[in-house]
């Protein structure tokens, strides 16, 4: 973010965002693919996204295609083996959120990402809600047995192009939520509680188009929290945001979250009763 390039609207949004961060005592954060692009993990829908460049690649994330077509499964295993998350390192934006947690003001971090970069940046796993699971685990779609992705990929490297579950012979996939699969209801409920139990909801690097994750932003606003959107492209929730920030997240987020707090600046909220909306 180059201050010299700011127009009056950008400067006002930045000032408002800094004021909100300084005043907040409980912050819930939602992160999407945009926070990891700087680490070399491409997003899906952006100008240079995986699905933008290769629309057919979306079939690998569709549960019906995965179940019905062995070739889709074989392609998915090849893709997992070369996923850039194996080599990626957390960036400044990830570390800035760890710093927020260390300050004691992070209520929870909800992430749509499957790369575990937040945990690798030192964030307490207890604070992280992986809405779409993790690519570093596997699950059998028949018996639900779980394992490690490294173990499964070692079988692929040994010649099993579509390794079945060793317990029941069922279909294995990554422990992530594909299109057509439901999110874990316990994780969703925990996300809802975190959205309703914060002073400030910070949406970072997410297009806010995939539900139910995107709906957490509206839930927070309806419960009385302020919303800040930090994303390179417009989102459907920009109109509900108290501030919208564009620019490189690895530059913007560390600066934003380093703003000194204002002690006792606002009363501590309890999460809202939906019946009062």
């Amino acid at each position: 973010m180059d201050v010299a390039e700011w127009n009056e609207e950008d400067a006002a949004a930045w000032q408002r965002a800094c004021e909100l961060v300084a005043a907040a005592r409980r912050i819930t954060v939602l992160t999407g693919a945009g926070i990891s692009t700087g680490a070399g993990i491409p997003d899906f829908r952006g100008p240079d996204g995986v699905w933008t460049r290769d629309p057919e690649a979306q079939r690998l994330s569709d549960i019906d295609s995965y179940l019905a077509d062995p070739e889709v499964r074989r392609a998915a295993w090849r893709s997992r083996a070369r996923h850039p998350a194996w080599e990626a390192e957390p960036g400044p934006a990830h570390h800035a959120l760890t710093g927020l947690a260390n300050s004691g003001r992070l209520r929870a971090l909800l992430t749509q990402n499957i790369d575990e970069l937040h945990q690798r940046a030192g964030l307490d796993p207890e604070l992280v809600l992986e809405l779409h699971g993790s690519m570093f685990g596997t699950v059998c779609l028949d018996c639900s047995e779980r394992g490690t992705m490294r173990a499964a990929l070692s079988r692929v490297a040994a010649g099993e192009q579509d390794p079945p579950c060793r317990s029941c012979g069922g279909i294995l996939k990554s422990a992530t939520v594909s299109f057509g699969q439901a999110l874990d209801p316990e994780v969703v409920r925990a996300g809802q509680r975190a959205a309703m139990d914060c002073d400030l909801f910070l949406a970072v690097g997410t297009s806010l188009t995939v539900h139910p994750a995107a709906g957490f932003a509206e839930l927070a606003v309806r419960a009385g929290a302020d919303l800040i959107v930090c994303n390179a492209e417009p989102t459907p929730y920009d109109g509900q945001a108290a501030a919208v920030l564009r620019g490189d997240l690895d530059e913007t987020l560390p600066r934003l979250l380093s703003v000194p707090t204002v002690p006792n600046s606002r009363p501590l909220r309890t999460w809202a009763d939906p019946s009062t909306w």
Side-chain angles (χ1 to χ4, degrees), residues 42-106:
D43 60 14
F44 295 104
R45 298 177 178 81
D48 196 38
V50 174
W51 297 339
T52 305
R53 291 183 284 107
D54 180 14
E56 277 295 305
Q58 190 164 347
R59 296 188 70 218
L60 306 186
S61 299
D62 178 81
I63 190 63
D64 290 334
S65 298
Y66 191 86
L67 288 170
D69 191 341
E71 181 51 43
V72 168
R73 295 198 295 275
R74 289 190 285 267
W77 286 111
R78 293 193 296 270
S79 177
R80 290 164 188 149
R82 60 176 185 267
H83 197 288
W86 291 107
E87 305 296 333
E89 294 294 334
H94 295 96
H95 288 293
L97 290 168
T98 301
L100 175 65
N102 292 340
S103 76
R105 297 191 298 148
L106 181 64

Side-chain angles (χ1 to χ4, degrees), residues 11-204:
W14 177 257
Q15 180 63 36
R16 178 60 174 152
C18 289
E19 292 171 353
L20 292 172
V21 169
R25 296 175 63 186
R26 227 170 14 224
I27 302 174
T28 293
V29 180
L30 170 66
T31 65
I35 198 172
S36 295
T37 54
I41 301 176
D43 60 14
F44 295 104
R45 298 177 178 81
D48 196 38
V50 174
W51 297 339
T52 305
R53 291 183 284 107
D54 180 14
E56 277 295 305
Q58 190 164 347
R59 296 188 70 218
L60 306 186
S61 299
D62 178 81
I63 190 63
D64 290 334
S65 298
Y66 191 86
L67 288 170
D69 191 341
E71 181 51 43
V72 168
R73 295 198 295 275
R74 289 190 285 267
W77 286 111
R78 293 193 296 270
S79 177
R80 290 164 188 149
R82 60 176 185 267
H83 197 288
W86 291 107
E87 305 296 333
E89 294 294 334
H94 295 96
H95 288 293
L97 290 168
T98 301
L100 175 65
N102 292 340
S103 76
R105 297 191 298 148
L106 181 64
R107 167 62 177 81
L109 187 139
L110 324 177
T111 186
Q112 296 171 274
N113 297 338
I114 60 173
D115 53 35
E116 294 191 6
L117 287 180
H118 290 299
Q119 295 92 319
R120 289 170 59 192
L123 193 60
D124 183 349
E126 292 296 317
L127 290 172
V128 181
L129 290 175
E130 292 178 312
L131 301 172
H132 296 162
S134 168
M135 62 162 282
F136 295 103
T138 60
V139 63
C140 173
L141 296 175
D142 291 277
C143 73
S144 301
E145 181 173 271
R146 290 184 176 266
T148 68
M149 181 58 71
R150 287 192 183 277
L153 288 178
S154 68
R155 295 171 61 189
V156 174
E160 295 184 65
Q161 295 183 329
D162 179 19
C165 173
R166 280 185 162 157
S167 292
C168 74
I171 294 175
L172 280 185
K173 73 177 289 290
S174 62
T176 58
V177 179
S178 299
F179 284 104
Q181 287 186 298
L183 272 64
D184 184 329
E186 288 297 324
V187 174
V188 172
R189 283 192 286 271
Q192 291 170 336
R193 290 193 295 270
M196 293 188 293
D197 185 29
C198 65
D199 301 311
L200 178 64
F201 190 93
L202 186 60
V204 177

Side-chain angles (χ1 to χ4, degrees), residues 51 226 261:
W51 297 339
D226 293 303
T261 59

